[in-house]
Amino acid sequence: MDQISRSPRRPWAVLFAFPFRIFFVSTGVAAVLLLPLWLWWLLGGGGPAMSALLWHQHEMTVGLLNAAIAGFLLTAVCNWTGTAPVSGRALLALWGLWLSARLGLLLGDAWQLLAVSLDLAFLPVVAMLVARRVWTARQARQAPLIGVLLALWGLDVAFHWSGDPRFLHGVVLLGALLILMVGGRITPAFTANWLRLHGDDPERVRRWPALDIAGLVCGLAVVVLELTAWRGLAVALAGLLAALIAAVRLAGWAGWRVRREPLLWILHLGHLWVVLGFGLWAAAKAGLPVAPTAWVHALGAGAIGTMILGVITRVAMGHTGRPMRLLPGMRWGFLAILAAGLVRVLAGLGVVPWLPGLWLAAALWLLAWLLFLWLYTPVLAAPRADGRPG
């Protein structure tokens, strides 16, 4: 056991005791820093080596999402398979890879080849770590998650090769697909458990495996169609079908019955954003008078932002041996992240003025993530409350 693991009481050591700790803090820091940097560059304050817009799109999708995925999957797969987590120096090296890529993409052209190489090395390493644990436990049902990780990596490769933001749009859609896969597993399960514990009937939560599969197939079709840049009614129908299936699944989970539990209603509302995002994608492909990228913000700032914040606040409590409840004050963070997504979409649709809407959405986004860092960093940097390792 290395030095980091032998010093569990030091905050820096605790952060590297389990993947969710350091990567969830890093997700919050990235969410707080990336947006103001882009707004500064947007107003003429210089910029990174790639264009400020492409950097913003890449880092708010690939950079932010990669940290959240690594923290969640490398933690969850240990629970699913009963295997040991990545920790200590190995986790420090993985986190350093992610951080080096973020810093490198801010530097000049002379550093771009190295920065891109570091960026593209991260997800294959995460996929390998997940695959090793899945293989050890012989849990073939987890294999689709590895496929999604490799698909996300492939889209990042294509973006760096071509500079075409369409591949980043594919990343956003794959992020929505991950919500349907992983969120579709945990949200109804957590909801049923909560109903059981509070004297309600868990059978009110209904799941249809065939519909789950159909939703994933339609979601994958939307990803492929986005990458082909096809338009028209037939393409729009695929997005509309994906939205309808996601809506029916969500309705079956009886989210209105957990309206008193913010750690659950935030997950249901995150799925509602997926429905809206697919619907806006379909409207754009059908040629309706909506902003062609409104769906990107519905799925990015809305669905992905909401689900990441909802999941990591829950995991931060459950995996540190603390009561499964939202810390006082974080409810405002949940409301802020939902409002940020709404204002950003409305600004994209022209319902509110673009620049004031952009600033308001940014302020709400920052409020949500600053609250998370303020309230949850002490939890993530402290030993488990029950004295167990991890």
Side-chain angles (χ1 to χ4, degrees), residues 5-17:
S5 299
R6 287 197 304 267
S7 306
R9 295 297 172 183
R10 299 176 184 175
W12 62 271
V14 174
L15 284 172
F16 291 95

Side-chain angles (χ1 to χ4, degrees), residues 233-244:
L233 184 59
V235 174
L237 287 176
L240 182 59
L241 183 58
L244 289 174

Side-chain angles (χ1 to χ4, degrees), residues 27-372:
T27 298
V29 172
V32 166
L33 293 181
L34 293 176
L35 198 54
L37 276 174
W38 176 63
L39 292 174
W40 181 49
W41 292 327
L42 187 66
L43 297 176
M50 67 174 73
S51 77
L53 180 58
L54 285 180
W55 177 87
H56 167 70
Q57 292 174 332
H58 182 270
E59 292 302 280
M60 292 297 285
T61 53
V62 174
L64 188 67
L65 189 58
N66 279 2
I69 286 174
F72 176 79
L73 278 186
L74 290 177
T75 299
V77 75
C78 296
N79 287 344
W80 297 336
T81 62
T83 52
V86 184
S87 62
R89 286 195 176 93
L91 181 55
L92 175 61
L94 180 65
W95 175 75
L97 181 61
W98 173 84
L99 180 63
S100 298
R102 310 283 69 78
L103 296 175
L105 290 174
L106 290 172
L107 302 177
D109 291 333
W111 295 93
Q112 285 304 288
L113 180 59
L114 176 60
V116 169
S117 300
L118 293 170
D119 184 51
L120 295 179
F122 182 75
L123 276 184
V125 175
V126 173
M128 179 195 69
L129 293 169
V130 172
R132 180 184 298 172
R133 285 155 178 78
V134 169
W135 176 261
T136 299
R138 299 294 191 269
Q139 290 190 3
R141 65 190 180 93
Q142 314 294 357
L145 291 173
I146 302 169
V148 173
L149 290 178
L150 294 178
L152 286 168
W153 174 76
L155 290 173
D156 198 17
V157 171
F159 166 74
H160 283 302
W161 181 266
S162 66
D164 190 337
R166 183 173 74 250
F167 295 109
L168 297 180
H169 294 168
V171 170
V172 173
L173 288 167
L174 273 180
L177 196 64
L178 266 178
I179 292 173
L180 295 179
M181 290 176 65
V182 179
R185 179 187 303 180
I186 65 176
T187 304
F190 292 162
T191 300
N193 288 340
W194 189 90
L195 292 178
R196 183 182 297 107
L197 290 172
H198 289 79
D200 205 338
D201 184 7
E203 296 300 321
R204 295 180 185 275
V205 178
R206 303 190 63 186
R207 294 188 61 182
W208 300 277
L211 202 62
D212 293 344
I213 296 173
L216 295 178
V217 171
C218 287
L220 186 59
V222 168
V223 176
V224 173
L225 290 169
E226 174 63 22
L227 296 179
T228 62
W230 290 351
R231 300 178 63 86
L233 184 59
V235 174
L237 287 176
L240 182 59
L241 183 58
L244 289 174
I245 292 175
V248 172
R249 292 173 78 218
L250 179 60
W253 301 340
W256 58 90
R257 306 197 72 86
V258 295
R259 58 188 176 274
R260 292 185 289 115
E261 178 49 70
L263 283 173
L264 288 175
W265 58 248
I266 192 67
L267 301 181
H268 288 266
L269 291 177
H271 279 84
L272 185 60
W273 272 116
V274 174
V275 176
L276 178 61
F278 280 150
L280 287 172
W281 184 89
K285 295 302 179 183
L288 296 180
V290 299
T293 59
W295 66 267
V296 176
H297 297 110
L299 291 180
I304 295 175
T306 298
M307 285 299 292
I308 288 176
L309 193 59
V311 169
I312 66 179
T313 48
R314 185 183 185 91
V315 172
M317 300 303 288
H319 284 269
T320 59
R322 288 166 172 80
M324 191 61 70
R325 62 179 179 82
L326 194 68
L327 291 181
M330 195 59 212
R331 189 187 297 260
W332 292 107
F334 282 0
L335 295 176
I337 198 75
L338 292 168
L342 179 61
V343 172
R344 186 64 187 89
V345 170
L346 292 177
L349 292 173
V351 177
V352 299
W354 184 77
L355 192 56
L358 184 64
W359 281 103
L360 178 57
L364 290 165
W365 174 274
L366 291 175
L367 172 62
W369 287 105
L370 284 170
L371 277 171
F372 168 76

